[in-house]
Amino acid sequence: MDVIEVIRDLQASHHGHRTSPRLYERYIPDRSSRSSLGFSDGRTARTLPGFPDPGHWVNQNFARGDGWRIQPGREGTLRTLEDNERAVHERVEAFGSAVLRLLEHHHGPAAPGRAARLQGAARWIGREQQAVPRLTPWPQQLTAVQGFTLAALGWLVLVIAAIPWTVGMKARVLTDHPKPILLGAVALAGLGAYTIHRAGPRLMRQSGRTIALTGAAAGVAAYLVMQVQGPVAGYFFAGPFELYEREFSDGCLAASPYRDDAIQSEVAGGTLVIRPISGDTTLRLGPAEDGGTHPLRPQDRGTREVLERYGCQLP
């Protein structure tokens, strides 16, 4: 009975913590009042449609009131709730003491002395894991929907873990720096696996519809990540030919002799050489490197004059 009583006290403290803020309201002060309470006289601000309670957080934040006060007639209730809330620490201590007495009643008193008493309580409290596991266990046998959801989540983890490999290949650094990329992939895979391990059992205990929707969402997300990561990494770590097409051929040079279908191009000594079939001035742009992040810029005076003539933006 002692445990039940202190649990009720704790519930009262929790109720006070959640309820006491709702006893306040927005109001319109009566500025002509000469009450000793100042502007506490007045009328409650109109509540917003769909929220009739003046203490609802929507009304407290958005109602058109100039003042803030305790709802009339609820001062005593507020004091009670605040007293319950402030007593939470004493009630937690009382709950712990009641639990220790309950353990001693069922398993015998611990050895005398404060240190020995705590050791005895810890010995019995440690056995709670046998009755109430700390982690929700996985189902002994997965249904078809549960198996599909688990497979979709695993697929999502794998495609996310593959992002460092994709970036490394597009940036041309995979062969030079394999260890950081491998560590990044392993870290992402480990984090995803740990998340599934912790959240999976609780998910598997949801309704079949919730599990199916989660699996479908995970499958769609995995497919999108798999399809998008290559083009996105390629955009940021493009080669010289892709950069030329993006910066010039598809823009200012689209209608010129330097468009894609009217040129011959090659990379020589870190420079992208563009030779138009028409015989016009040869363009030399750089730096030309695979997986580069720097924009192409003219390497000689003739290239700069051609780009300026066609209205290309240059630094």
Side-chain angles (χ1 to χ4, degrees):
M1 293 299 296
D2 292 339
V3 176
I4 296 176
E5 290 179 0
V6 293
I7 287 177
R8 289 173 179 169
D9 290 338
L10 286 174
Q11 290 176 340
S13 294
H14 181 63
H15 177 71
H17 176 72
R18 297 186 59 183
T19 307
S20 57
R22 301 195 63 160
L23 297 185
Y24 292 86
E25 68 176 8
R26 289 279 185 182
Y27 79 107
I28 301 174
D30 182 5
R31 302 184 184 276
S32 63
S33 173
R34 297 182 180 181
S35 171
S36 60
L37 298 178
F39 288 146
S40 62
D41 292 338
R43 56 187 177 87
T44 302
R46 173 182 288 184
T47 58
L48 298 178
F51 300 95
D53 181 9
H56 196 282
W57 69 268
V58 173
N59 292 317
Q60 290 184 357
N61 287 277
F62 301 105
R64 294 184 177 180
D66 298 328
W68 181 266
R69 68 178 181 183
I70 303 172
Q71 297 179 25
R74 309 197 69 177
E75 293 83 359
T77 304
L78 178 63
R79 284 194 294 269
T80 301
L81 293 176
E82 289 179 345
D83 291 341
N84 288 334
E85 183 178 359
R86 282 192 294 267
V88 63
H89 298 292
E90 293 81 1
R91 290 170 175 176
V92 168
E93 185 177 357
F95 174 73
S97 301
V99 170
L100 290 178
R101 291 195 300 270
L102 179 64
L103 291 172
E104 290 181 352
H105 175 74
H106 287 284
H107 303 288
R114 181 176 178 81
R117 178 182 177 85
L118 293 177
Q119 292 175 0
R123 181 176 68 253
W124 298 117
I125 292 175
R127 296 180 181 177
E128 293 177 353
Q129 176 68 13
Q130 301 174 3
V132 183
R134 183 171 53 185
L135 297 178
T136 304
W138 285 88
Q140 295 183 354
Q141 186 174 0
L142 298 177
T143 64
V145 175
Q146 292 173 340
F148 164 76
T149 300
L150 188 61
L153 292 173
W155 183 28
L156 178 59
V157 170
L158 289 178
V159 296
I160 291 177
I163 291 178
W165 293 99
T166 303
V167 173
M169 289 187 294
K170 294 295 183 179
R172 305 298 194 273
V173 296
L174 182 59
T175 56
D176 297 331
H177 306 283
K179 290 184 179 180
I181 296 175
L182 177 61
L183 290 176
V186 171
L188 288 175
L191 180 62
Y194 176 76
T195 302
I196 294 177
H197 171 70
R198 291 301 303 269
R202 291 193 296 271
L203 173 63
M204 297 305 167
R205 295 182 180 275
Q206 301 298 320
S207 63
R209 181 178 181 181
T210 301
I211 298 174
L213 290 176
T214 303
V220 172
Y223 177 79
L224 292 177
V225 172
M226 184 178 64
Q227 296 296 321
V228 167
Q229 60 178 288
V232 170
Y235 179 84
F236 289 101
F237 301 97
F241 301 105
E242 290 82 0
L243 286 176
Y244 174 76
E245 181 179 356
R246 185 192 309 166
E247 295 181 21
F248 302 108
S249 179
D250 289 345
C252 57
L253 301 181
S256 72
Y258 298 93
R259 61 186 183 274
D260 280 344
D261 59 350
I263 61 172
Q264 295 178 343
S265 58
E266 64 176 346
V267 176
T271 300
L272 176 63
V273 181
I274 304 295
R275 296 186 178 89
I277 300 176
S278 62
D280 289 316
T281 303
T282 298
L283 303 183
R284 290 179 171 81
L285 303 164
E289 53 188 7
D290 290 331
T293 57
H294 301 287
L296 295 175
R297 294 296 179 258
Q299 300 294 299
D300 55 26
R301 183 183 181 87
T303 301
R304 179 175 291 275
E305 290 177 352
V306 170
L307 296 179
E308 290 178 348
R309 184 168 69 248
Y310 285 99
C312 300
Q313 297 293 329
L314 298 176

